[in-house]
Amino acid sequence: ALEASRRDGQRLASEAEKAFDAVFNDSPVGYQDIDIHGNIIRVNQKEVSLRGLGREEMLGKKCWDLYPEAHRRKIRDEIDRKIRGTMSLVPHQRNYLRPDGKMLTLEMHEIVLRDPSGEPFGLRSAAIDMTEPTKKQEAVWQATSELNAVFMAFPDLFLRLDNQGTVLSYRAPNVSEFFGPVEELTGVSLDT
């Protein structure tokens, strides 16, 4: 009975490991595990795809070697501090230049990997591609800044309209000079 229980435990552990491997490898998020020395020990397919490298080009390499020389020392120091617990593990964005010349903005989430006794043995990072959302945010910010500059150049009258031409808000030194009583301006459609 003890032998059967041991075999069942091993089978369950093996099934759990297979399930974890499937989730890890098929995830839409890029995963990378490193040891305490910064060596890449495990990557999933999404991470390989994001980095534009082959799995064999990543495994065994120092994780900071994926970045330009000017940033490597800083990244190495940050990783060391995170594993030692002297730096917070907060999500952050990092730009990554792929070998094909494409620049990505990756949002990084990290956890310290620990053995059963609680000792750290590495770091797992999850990379989410934020390139397009970041570009859209920057474009909106740029357009908003330009519009604000234009509207500030016209201090006499500012109307904010919805897509049907209805006045949502306004700013003018003497609105009544343009449209009559102020109370009657909001909600007026300029199409009528």
Side-chain angles (χ1 to χ4, degrees):
L2 185 59
E3 182 63 28
S5 179
R6 187 181 63 75
R7 281 194 307 267
D8 285 344
Q10 287 175 336
R11 181 183 52 76
L12 289 174
S14 175
E15 288 174 6
E17 182 67 27
K18 286 178 186 174
F20 173 80
D21 284 344
V23 169
F24 183 89
N25 289 318
D26 297 337
S27 175
V29 173
Y31 285 113
Q32 176 185 116
D33 289 355
I34 62 170
D35 65 17
I36 59 172
H37 306 292
N39 298 308
I40 300 171
I41 56 176
R42 185 177 192 177
V43 293
N44 71 351
Q45 186 55 47
K46 182 64 175 185
E47 180 74 3
V48 168
S49 175
L50 284 172
R51 301 292 179 162
L53 297 168
R55 191 177 304 267
E56 65 285 345
E57 293 176 276
M58 296 180 70
L59 292 175
K61 302 287 193 293
K62 300 288 187 189
C63 63
W64 46 79
D65 287 342
L66 299 176
Y67 294 92
E69 184 72 41
H71 301 279
R72 291 179 186 169
R73 180 182 199 104
K74 178 182 179 230
I75 292 170
R76 186 181 69 223
D77 291 344
E78 286 176 0
I79 288 170
D80 182 56
R81 291 183 9 232
K82 289 174 184 177
I83 291 173
R84 286 187 291 118
T86 60
M87 184 175 181
S88 298
L89 300 175
V90 293
H92 59 280
Q93 288 191 350
R94 183 165 276 148
N95 290 326
Y96 175 73
L97 181 62
R98 291 169 36 124
D100 63 6
K102 183 177 181 184
M103 179 66 76
L104 299 180
T105 300
L106 301 177
E107 183 174 281
M108 308 300 290
H109 298 258
E110 299 161 319
I111 61 167
V112 174
L113 299 173
R114 298 183 182 280
D115 66 20
S117 69
E119 288 299 310
F121 69 86
L123 190 73
R124 173 170 294 145
S125 64
I128 302 168
D129 186 358
M130 297 298 292
T131 306
E132 289 308 312
T134 300
K135 284 181 183 177
K136 287 177 184 175
Q137 284 178 333
E138 289 171 356
V140 167
W141 183 86
Q142 182 67 32
T144 302
S145 296
E146 290 171 2
L147 282 174
N148 281 335
V150 168
F151 290 133
M152 295 310 286
F154 296 104
D156 292 337
L157 176 65
F158 168 73
L159 298 175
R160 190 170 67 93
L161 309 174
D162 66 13
N163 58 358
Q164 283 82 35
T166 302
V167 177
L168 298 174
S169 63
Y170 55 87
R171 187 185 77 222
N174 294 311
V175 175
S176 59
E177 289 179 23
F178 295 100
F179 293 102
V182 172
E183 305 80 38
E184 298 175 11
L185 183 59
T186 301
V188 170
S189 175
L190 298 182
D191 287 343
T192 57

